[in-house]
Amino acid sequence: MPRYQTNFLLSATSADHFPRASVPEIAFLGRSNVGKSSLINALLGEPAARVSSTPGRTRAINFFALHVQSPAKPELVLADLPGYGYAKISRSISAEWPTFINPYLADRETLAACVCLVDMNVPPQPGDVVLAEYLDSIRRSRIIVGTKADKLSGNQRVVAVKKLREALQTDEILVCSAKDGRGIAALWNAIHEVAQAYSKAAAAL
Ligand SMILES: Nc1nc2c(ncn2[C@@H]2O[C@H](COP(=O)(O)OP(=O)(O)O)[C@@H](O)[C@H]2O)c(=O)[nH]1
Ligand SMILES: [Mg+2]
């Protein structure tokens, strides 16, 4: 996997703040505290995204551009989306979903895939199922990632994967840990695969 340089682009709180759509974009979605920012940092090998000790603080979509040669020529954009389902703020966050997040997911031209994070240490939550089904209904590619695998024993991981497969109706769950690096290379492979497929499809238009 190429080692990218990371460039924080901007933090958007409404659709007119989004950066110009150019290169394939990968969105990271999941409940607050599921480990989105930690996973992005593990992928990048640097603390680009803020890891919060107070769950549910991110209200914006944070965009990161990745480049190999020059910041003017990014290869990929990563988007860290606000978390859903944290009790204290869930009402205000979910109020923002229809006007802000859903249009991003439905309309963003360069969105190549959504990485959906689910915590392997808790049973699959209704919000995770709703999101997975929503993405399916708007025909977005999904990469489902089970996070915090380091907290489970081998047996517990097998059981957790089985439950996630059933709840989310998919055979493909990538088991990852931002802490010990498990699954990070496999996730990069999956991201590159969808980004390439996206570029090919865009070139054919
Ligand atoms: N053990 C373990 N803890 C993690 C992992 N990823 C994130 N965390 C912890 O989970 C909490 C929330 O992480 P964060 O990345 O801010 O989640 P976000 O709200 O989804 O962006 C932090 O305390 C992290 O240190 C992981 O892979 N393993
Ligand atoms: Mg975060």
Side-chain angles (χ1 to χ4, degrees), residues 35-179:
K36 289 180 297 298
S37 302
S38 302
L39 190 71
I40 290 173
N41 291 342
L43 284 166
L44 298 177
E46 62 174 286
R50 208 170 125 237
V51 174
S52 180
S53 49
T54 330
R57 289 288 289 279
T58 324
R59 311 282 295 261
I61 303 182
N62 292 311
F63 292 89
F64 301 88
L66 312 188
H67 65 272
V68 178
Q69 299 273 326
S70 140
K73 279 197 174 168
E75 317 249 328
L76 263 183
V77 166
L78 305 188
D80 186 4
L81 270 76
Y84 53 86
Y86 184 71
K88 260 191 205 159
I89 47 80
S90 67
R91 218 185 288 147
S92 56
I93 287 280
S94 43
E96 283 167 14
W97 274 72
T99 53
F100 177 35
I101 312 294
N102 282 357
Y104 169 83
L105 295 173
D107 303 334
R108 181 76 168 162
E109 307 112 85
T110 45
L111 182 56
C114 295
V115 178
C116 300
L117 283 73
V118 277
D119 190 337
M120 296 189 70
N121 297 266
V122 296
Q125 304 289 303
D128 301 329
V129 178
V130 168
L131 175 68
E133 285 174 355
Y134 173 68
L135 292 174
D136 219 27
S137 77
I138 59 170
R139 301 189 171 278
R140 286 294 187 193
S141 301
R142 307 170 312 185
I143 299 171
I144 312 276
V145 166
T147 65
K148 309 190 188 183
D150 58 277
K151 290 170 120 182
L152 296 173
S153 70
N155 268 343
Q156 290 171 321
R157 273 199 289 273
V158 172
V159 173
V161 166
K162 186 166 177 278
K163 282 190 183 148
L164 286 176
R165 278 184 176 156
E166 282 166 9
L168 302 177
Q169 310 238 328
T170 176
D171 284 339
E172 290 170 50
I173 309 273
L174 274 176
V175 174
C176 288
S177 163
K179 202 167 187 181

